[in-house]
Amino acid sequence: MDDLQLLRDMRTDTPTVKDAVIDGGRQQLLQRIDPRSKMKGRRRTKALRITLGSVATLGLATALVATNVVGLAGWRGASTAEAAEVLNQAAEMAIRTSDPVVGPGQYLKIDSTNLWMTSSSAHNPPDGAGAHGEVDWLDTETMSMYVPADRDQEWVWERSGRIPTTFFGDEAKEVALNQKEEMGDTSALLRGKGGAFYDSVSSFPGEKELANYSRDPRELLNGIYKTTFIKGQSIDGEALVYIADLLGTGIVPADLRAALYKAAALIPGVTITDNQATLDGQTGVAIGRDEGVSDMRQEIIVDPATGQLIGERRVLTKAMGSIPAGTIVGWTTIRTTVVDSAP
């Protein structure tokens, strides 16, 4: 039995707890996280909006242990009402969606188009463009993943290779194209048993792992908070990144996808950022959260009418070197189908 299950069992075995007891425990927990919160009353919500780096390990560990007993999700507010409405609607539609059935010998094909930012030293720093003598550009790459019906068998991953497409300045274009020429053809056709590529363990969640995620949004988010402990820029920002990454694998079943949408609606600071976000020809509603530490916003884009995930993207909220504020510096879109063969 793992820690998560142990704590869930504790919750199950615990009789109804009086509100006064919960309030007392919550206050003690807040004091452990931030001793200054003792006298702040209604302002304690703000006190909890702190980066992981500034939290004492013992205090946050206490919070995370307590997470699955009394619940951390929802204590400090949630998304805006508009974002919650879109996410909950998408969840309701997702739960009605039938996942594609992959028969014996068939594959779930996950097509994705990706945009990534690349930074490199300029030729003549510090006079080169960009911050700290660096130049920046965006690469695109298309990929197709073939997941067999028996996921323990061989997966196939077809990659086009990264192609520089957007340049922030003439020097950035020169550096990017020179690097591309030196690297040559970077396309690849990879094979890996159970999704393990590049002589490494698989980074994709297995069916057992996907089945073990709670379908209760609060318990699910609590588990994510625990998993992302001391990672990322903030506890809430990293939770949204975790949800975006998991959804972006393309192998999340509909009931878990619905729970993840509802869990995202419980994250403070999550809001609608674009009602007409278009990625790779698909349009949906972008929902994201600004991160002050990195001046970046993580977004997931959903079609509330179908519950389908269109993709995810990252947007600069402040200029970075030669890249202006508002620039989309990374995105991924996915489409899934069932096919009878793989390359």
Side-chain angles (χ1 to χ4, degrees):
M1 180 181 296
D2 59 24
D3 294 341
L4 188 62
Q5 187 59 49
L6 178 61
L7 290 172
R8 285 176 181 154
D9 289 348
M10 289 173 62
R11 185 178 187 180
T12 301
D13 294 337
T14 301
T16 302
V17 181
K18 296 180 179 178
D19 291 345
V21 175
I22 295 177
D23 290 342
R26 180 171 57 185
Q27 187 57 35
Q28 291 180 30
L29 176 59
L30 295 175
Q31 286 183 248
R32 296 294 295 272
I33 296 173
D34 182 2
R36 296 170 299 176
S37 67
K38 182 178 181 180
M39 302 302 293
K40 292 180 179 176
R42 291 181 179 275
R43 298 186 62 183
R44 62 190 177 193
T45 297
K46 184 177 181 180
L48 276 172
R49 292 173 184 162
I50 49 181
T51 61
L52 290 178
S54 65
V55 176
T57 301
L58 178 60
L60 188 52
T62 302
L64 292 168
V65 169
T67 288
N68 288 331
V69 179
V70 294
L72 183 63
W75 277 20
R76 299 160 299 119
S79 68
T80 63
E82 293 80 8
E85 181 179 359
V86 171
L87 287 165
N88 288 324
Q89 181 182 345
E92 292 304 317
M93 295 308 299
I95 203 68
R96 301 177 191 176
T97 302
S98 297
D99 291 318
V101 177
V102 185
Q106 292 185 314
Y107 295 83
L108 178 67
K109 183 185 179 188
I110 306 166
D111 292 310
S112 67
T113 303
N114 307 271
L115 181 78
W116 290 308
M117 186 177 76
T118 299
S119 298
S120 181
S121 296
H123 289 166
N124 301 301
D127 297 327
H132 310 298
E134 288 188 341
V135 292
D136 309 288
W137 67 88
L138 303 177
D139 294 320
T140 60
E141 181 175 22
T142 57
M143 300 188 294
S144 294
M145 181 75 74
Y146 296 80
V147 182
D150 180 353
R151 295 186 181 179
D152 291 330
Q153 298 302 308
E154 182 180 82
W155 296 30
V156 179
W157 192 8
E158 194 171 26
R159 306 187 59 170
S160 70
R162 296 173 67 149
I163 301 172
T165 51
T166 302
F167 312 97
F168 300 99
D170 293 339
E171 192 168 14
K173 184 174 183 179
E174 180 183 356
V175 174
L177 295 181
N178 285 340
Q179 284 194 9
K180 175 62 179 172
E181 184 175 353
E182 292 172 1
M183 294 175 67
D185 183 10
T186 57
S187 63
L189 183 62
L190 307 169
R191 302 180 189 280
K193 191 172 182 180
F197 300 100
Y198 296 108
D199 297 324
S200 181
V201 297
S202 175
S203 60
F204 299 92
E207 290 179 289
K208 183 177 180 181
E209 181 181 347
L210 293 173
N212 284 339
Y213 281 106
S214 174
R215 268 54 173 176
D216 177 271
R218 290 183 185 275
E219 288 191 4
L220 176 60
L221 183 56
N222 287 338
I224 292 171
Y225 280 143
K226 184 178 179 182
T227 301
T228 57
F229 177 44
I230 314 183
K231 296 177 182 175
Q233 311 155 78
S234 70
I235 186 170
D236 294 314
E238 189 62 15
L240 185 60
V241 169
Y242 187 95
I243 289 172
D245 288 347
L246 186 54
L247 289 170
T249 63
I251 57 176
V252 175
D255 61 342
L256 178 55
R257 193 163 65 248
L260 288 167
Y261 289 155
K262 291 186 176 182
L266 296 173
I267 298 176
V270 169
T271 186
I272 291 178
T273 56
D274 189 349
N275 275 305
Q276 293 293 321
T278 300
L279 285 184
D280 197 27
Q282 302 180 84
T283 301
V285 178
I287 296 165
R289 186 178 188 282
D290 287 358
E291 288 298 320
V293 175
S294 64
D295 299 317
M296 189 84 72
R297 183 172 62 243
Q298 171 70 55
E299 297 177 335
I300 59 174
I301 301 174
V302 299
D303 183 347
T306 65
Q308 292 295 325
L309 175 75
I310 291 177
E312 58 90 19
R313 68 183 184 184
R314 294 162 297 286
V315 183
L316 276 185
T317 57
K318 185 177 180 180
M320 185 181 75
S322 58
I323 309 176
T327 300
I328 299 171
V329 293
W331 53 259
T332 296
T333 63
I334 60 170
R335 289 185 175 90
T336 57
T337 54
V338 176
V339 297
D340 294 329
S341 62

